[in-house]
Amino acid sequence: MAKFGDKASVIIRKAVSDGFFQCAGPADRHAAMRLNGRRMLDRDAKDADKFYPNDKTREHVAMLSQLDESQSEAVVETPSAEIVPIDGRDASGLVQVVQRARALLDSGDVINARMLAAAAYEQAKAAGKLAERFGAAERLIAKARQLQGDALLIETRAKIVIAREYDQAQGEGRAATKGRPKNGSEENILRHSDTGLSRKEIHEARKLAEAETRTPGLVERAIAARIAAGLEPNRANLRAAVGTSSATKEERGNNLYETPPEAVHTLLALETFTATVWEPACGRGAISGMLEAAHYGVVLSDLVDYNTCDQNGELQTVRDFLETEGDPDGSSSYDIVTNPPYGESLNAFVAHALRVHRPRKMALLLNVNFFGGTENADRNFAMDENRPARVYWFARRLPMMHRDGWEGNEASSRMNTAWFVWELQEDGSYGDTTVISRVDWEKFMPQAVSAESEAA
């Protein structure tokens, strides 16, 4: 479950209870715009200070209500001074939430069981990390990890059931497929969104189901092994442990190649952005941290949960950028700056940003080979139909971007890279002209800029 600050939580609850939220000042507007960027609120097309709840907002509040209900029913132990509270709840209170999720799963209410277990997983994960950070007793850290593992097991079992039922419905023609459904009207067709899972999550659940069929109890043993080893039982490690991640992807480290600071220093010297910038492939914050140092606000998201947060402690959201939706008015609330994942999803990533979000400005760090190629429709859409306004080609190659977790020898880069910058024109298009400039990142490093200023 996504995590929000106190003000954002108040706005979300009020929007759902009243049917809308009306900003009373700049602070409200800033918080509401951040929520809008995270697709938690829809903005009124005529009144810029009025926001409406959507299905995602209502689902979030429903999960909070279930948590609150579980907490009110719980008999909570006398808190120890060692317990670190999380949003007013500690790891002890989460026992009842996990028990409630397990009861829902046992009763066959798998969708609600998954939702509640996912919320408990996030809360236990946060409790464990805070307990570690503040030096809590090992037994409290272990308790949080156990609860996280319990919630993960319930969530995984619920996902497996949902995926199997969805596949069965597809086989019977009752669920949407790539083709037209065999039977029934469009209104009665089950879609992946009805299950509460994305297509990617259903695909992963199928793999988990196959692994469980081959080796019954594998998921539970994998989670127990992490806990016994004193490690956090998380979703990514579970997928790796049961073999649902391909070897190639494991070796690539989820396509996380940290952006060198030289690249970001250069971009910030040459371009300016809106006050708040969206980093949709934030990784561990290599770009976002430097944006914040330059006094930009950031909205963080990534396909993988790296537990990255902004300077205010707001955690990243975990979502597939290719499944994100644009603002109702067809424009983006934020500029986009990122080093997108390379590989087979790159063309779709760039085209999705331009087709769905249409940001005022977008800067992507890309291999200069992105200029070439005509076979891919998404590449042509980005480079021919929506041309970048500027391309800053690094005359001096950037330092090597090693994959996440690399422990081998450091190497110099063999890749030519450039910042591709798209910018909306007054006519609503991205224009038809691209200006290419050769830049040397060494000239934009802080020490070089400082020396130049002193000389002047």
Side-chain angles (χ1 to χ4, degrees):
M1 185 172 69
K3 304 174 182 65
F4 302 99
D6 291 342
K7 188 171 189 64
S9 296
V10 169
I11 291 175
I12 290 171
R13 288 181 182 271
K14 187 168 180 59
V16 171
S17 63
D18 296 350
F20 68 93
F21 177 76
Q22 188 74 40
C23 299
D28 283 355
R29 188 178 305 112
H30 177 71
M33 285 297 293
R34 285 178 64 86
L35 289 167
N36 174 252
R38 297 178 68 172
R39 308 296 177 259
M40 290 298 297
L41 290 176
D42 295 333
R43 194 176 187 182
D44 190 279
K46 296 182 179 179
D47 186 349
D49 284 335
K50 193 171 186 178
F51 294 81
Y52 299 98
N54 52 39
D55 289 343
K56 187 176 179 181
T57 324
R58 286 184 278 271
E59 179 181 307
H60 181 83
V61 172
M63 284 194 286
L64 289 178
S65 298
Q66 286 183 307
L67 285 169
D68 290 339
E69 182 179 344
S70 296
Q71 289 298 309
S72 64
E73 294 174 355
V75 179
V76 182
E77 302 170 352
T78 303
S80 163
E82 296 173 302
I83 293 178
V84 181
I86 306 295
D87 291 332
R89 307 173 183 91
D90 60 38
S92 299
L94 283 173
V95 172
Q96 285 72 29
V97 182
V98 172
Q99 290 174 343
R100 184 179 176 84
R102 185 179 290 113
L104 288 170
L105 181 63
D106 291 342
S107 68
D109 190 354
V110 291
I111 291 180
N112 282 322
R114 184 204 68 81
M115 290 170 57
L116 192 56
Y121 169 89
E122 296 293 350
Q123 290 289 327
K125 180 177 181 178
K129 289 190 178 300
L130 272 184
E132 284 183 307
R133 187 179 303 171
F134 289 100
E138 183 60 34
R139 63 181 178 82
L140 294 177
I141 298 173
K143 183 175 185 179
R145 285 176 177 162
Q146 181 64 60
L147 286 168
Q148 184 178 344
D150 291 345
L152 178 59
L153 180 59
I154 296 167
E155 180 192 40
T156 302
R157 285 175 172 169
K159 284 182 175 180
I160 288 173
V161 172
I162 292 171
R164 283 173 172 165
E165 292 182 351
Y166 185 75
D167 287 347
Q168 182 179 348
Q170 278 191 327
E172 297 172 355
R174 296 183 290 105
T177 63
K178 290 184 178 179
R180 293 185 61 80
K182 299 176 183 176
N183 305 303
S185 65
E186 288 289 335
E187 292 77 11
N188 296 325
I189 290 300
L190 177 68
R191 304 187 185 281
H192 75 89
S193 56
D194 298 327
T195 69
L197 300 179
S198 67
R199 289 188 180 91
K200 181 177 183 296
E201 287 175 318
I202 289 176
H203 179 65
E204 289 177 348
R206 289 188 185 112
K207 289 185 175 181
L208 288 166
E210 291 169 1
E212 274 285 296
T213 300
R214 291 193 302 268
T215 312
L218 178 62
V219 170
E220 184 171 7
R221 289 196 297 275
I223 293 173
R226 293 282 297 180
I227 296 172
L231 301 172
E232 177 194 355
N234 57 43
R235 295 173 181 131
N237 284 314
L238 175 61
R239 290 194 297 269
V242 300
T244 59
S245 295
S246 67
T248 301
K249 184 167 184 177
E250 288 302 304
E251 290 175 358
R252 292 201 312 265
N254 293 302
N255 266 329
L256 174 59
Y257 291 79
E258 292 285 12
T259 307
E262 292 83 353
V264 187
H265 280 305
T266 303
L267 179 67
L268 292 176
L270 298 171
E271 296 285 341
T272 57
F273 301 94
T274 51
T276 302
V277 179
W278 182 14
E279 221 294 32
C282 66
R284 302 193 190 282
I287 291 178
S288 61
M290 294 184 67
L291 286 170
E292 289 186 299
H295 307 296
Y296 289 103
V298 294
V299 174
L300 306 177
S301 63
D302 201 295
L303 177 65
V304 179
D305 186 1
Y306 293 107
N307 203 36
T308 304
C309 61
D310 64 19
Q311 60 189 4
N312 298 314
E314 184 97 8
L315 281 166
Q316 68 164 96
T317 56
V318 181
R319 56 179 171 175
D320 186 345
F321 180 70
L322 296 179
E323 295 186 0
T324 58
E325 299 177 355
D327 286 350
D329 63 0
S331 63
S332 177
S333 303
Y334 308 113
D335 291 349
I336 294 176
V337 177
T338 193
N339 179 359
Y342 290 10
E344 61 184 18
S345 65
L346 175 60
N347 293 316
F349 188 103
V350 180
H352 183 80
L354 296 169
R355 184 180 288 120
V356 175
H357 294 285
R358 297 192 63 75
R360 183 196 69 90
K361 184 182 286 190
M362 177 171 71
L364 303 180
L365 184 63
L366 300 171
N367 188 315
V368 295
N369 288 337
F370 197 78
F371 256 111
T374 59
E375 290 81 13
N376 188 279
D378 284 336
R379 177 82 62 92
N380 295 336
F381 177 82
M383 295 303 296
D384 297 331
E385 299 176 43
N386 298 273
R387 294 187 179 183
R390 292 171 293 282
V391 173
Y392 299 109
W393 187 321
F394 287 104
R396 187 190 308 272
R397 288 175 177 170
L398 289 169
M400 184 69 172
M401 289 180 275
H402 289 283
R403 69 173 181 262
D404 187 42
W406 175 260
E407 296 180 355
N409 296 328
E410 297 293 316
S412 58
S413 176
R414 293 176 293 176
M415 183 189 299
N416 288 306
T417 52
W419 281 110
F420 287 62
V421 180
W422 284 262
E423 186 168 22
L424 272 178
Q425 307 300 304
E426 291 184 1
D427 63 0
S429 75
Y430 283 100
D432 57 6
T433 303
T434 300
V435 177
I436 303 174
S437 304
R438 277 167 52 89
V439 297
D440 184 349
W441 54 262
E442 279 198 352
K443 295 180 179 179
F444 300 100
M445 295 300 288
Q447 59 268 29
V449 174
S450 177
E452 185 176 324
S453 299
E454 291 177 4

